């Protein structure tokens, strides 16, 4: 049987995201303290906690689209920082890609990463190389679509997504920020990992681990 991703799986994924990001809160605030305003860990923790709660509050007949839209609304309402609208748009794009159904073939799951990355880029207008979360989401999405086009198994695609995300976050150290709050630091942003890129790589690592595991089942 072809593995699927169900609404139960998505609810569980968001619980995992909320707990992983909560555990990383102080680290993310520390990174943001160096080149931003030190609130990124709090924003992400509150956002993912609210997103997960919003999903868990849905009736059992809710669709995948309902879940991602509820996550978007929950995240946006909980977060005043710039990551709020960026992730809310990502989740709304995922809602559209997932559709009004209660499960999707796991082979379509990498497409949700592509949709989220597109949402972040269309909302924030950042390109790669500007030292933002796009430096993680864009290469991860590129590997997700390439792996799908090459007909790879989901767990192999997720392995590549994870590698691209880790490398993307690390690469932000060598970049000068030109978007967002840290852009005002100019050259002084060099040498430091972008907090939004760091959290994006954690988010993608959780997603990749979860979907790889479902592929192996
Ligand atoms: P704020 O800067 O409002 O305090 P956060 O601390 O939650 O917001 O998030 C900061 C992160 O947001 C940055 O590290 C960067 O990765 C990301 N970011 C900022 N502006 C943009 C943008 N225009 N496009 C994509 N990501 C962005
Ligand atoms: Mg901040």
């Amino acid at each position: 049987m072809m593995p699927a991703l169900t609404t139960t799986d998505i609810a569980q994924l968001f619980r995992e995201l909320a707990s992983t990001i909560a555990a990383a809160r102080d680290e993310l605030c520390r990174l943001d303290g160096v080149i931003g305003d030190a609130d990124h860990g709090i924003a992400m923790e509150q956002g993912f906690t609210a997103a997960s709660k919003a999903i868990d509050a849905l009736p059992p007949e809710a669709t995948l689209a309902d879940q991602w839209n509820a996550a978007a609304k929950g995240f946006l309402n909980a977060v005043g920082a710039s990551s709020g609208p960026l992730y809310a748009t990502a989740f709304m794009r995922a809602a559209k890609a997932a559709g009004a159904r209660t499960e999707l073939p796991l082979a379509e799951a990498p497409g949700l990463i592509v949709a989220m990355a597109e949402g972040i880029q269309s909302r924030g207008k950042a390109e790669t190389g500007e030292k933002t979360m796009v430096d993680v989401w864009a290469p991860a999405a590129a590997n997700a679509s390439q792996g799908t086009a090459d007909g790879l198994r989901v767990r192999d695609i997720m392995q590549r997504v994870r590698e691209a995300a880790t490398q993307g976050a690390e690469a932000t150290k060598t970049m000068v920020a030109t978007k967002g709050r840290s852009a005002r630091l100019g050259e002084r942003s060099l040498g430091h990992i972008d907090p939004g890129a760091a959290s994006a790589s954690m988010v993608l690592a959780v997603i990749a681990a979860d979907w790889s595991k479902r592929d192996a089942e």
Side-chain angles (χ1 to χ4, degrees):
M1 209 184 81
M2 189 175 12
L5 197 63
T6 68
T7 49
T8 309
D9 298 335
I10 293 297
Q12 198 196 322
L13 172 64
F14 269 85
R15 277 181 232 121
E16 276 173 42
L17 284 166
S19 75
T20 298
I21 293 296
R25 183 192 59 193
D26 293 350
E27 167 69 2
L28 294 172
C29 283
R30 190 189 63 73
L31 291 175
D32 197 25
V34 181
I35 61 167
D37 58 354
D39 67 347
H40 188 62
I42 294 166
M44 292 294 285
E45 180 186 21
Q46 290 179 341
F48 274 103
T49 302
S52 180
K53 280 195 178 142
I55 289 175
D56 286 338
L58 289 171
E61 64 273 18
T63 66
L64 293 164
D66 294 333
Q67 289 185 309
W68 288 97
N69 280 323
K73 205 170 159 193
F75 202 104
L76 188 65
N77 289 341
V79 178
S82 19
S83 41
L86 292 165
Y87 274 99
T89 309
F91 298 160
M92 283 190 286
R93 294 293 183 94
K96 216 168 186 181
R101 46 187 169 165
T102 53
E103 62 174 66
L104 55 74
L106 190 64
E108 289 182 36
L112 301 182
I113 292 174
V114 178
M116 285 192 268
E118 284 170 359
I120 288 167
Q121 279 203 269
S122 96
R123 166 57 82 159
K125 308 275 180 260
E127 300 294 336
T128 51
E130 293 193 292
K131 199 179 181 90
T132 70
M133 62 175 79
V134 169
D135 291 303
V136 168
W137 278 100
N143 279 8
S145 37
Q146 189 59 51
T148 302
D150 292 345
L152 300 184
R153 292 190 62 136
V154 169
R155 62 174 182 221
D156 296 327
I157 298 174
M158 287 305 130
Q159 173 70 27
R160 292 175 189 206
V161 161
R162 203 176 175 144
E163 282 164 12
T166 310
Q167 284 166 17
E170 191 61 30
T172 62
K173 265 190 191 169
T174 65
M175 297 173 190
V176 173
T178 53
K179 281 278 187 327
R181 195 178 293 280
S182 50
R184 69 187 68 164
L185 289 180
E187 296 279 331
R188 280 180 294 143
S189 65
L190 260 179
H192 308 289
I193 290 189
D194 174 67
S199 63
S201 119
M202 293 169 188
V203 166
L204 281 160
V206 171
I207 293 174
D210 190 72
W211 294 350
S212 303
K213 185 182 75 193
R214 303 205 184 281
D215 188 24
E217 276 166 3

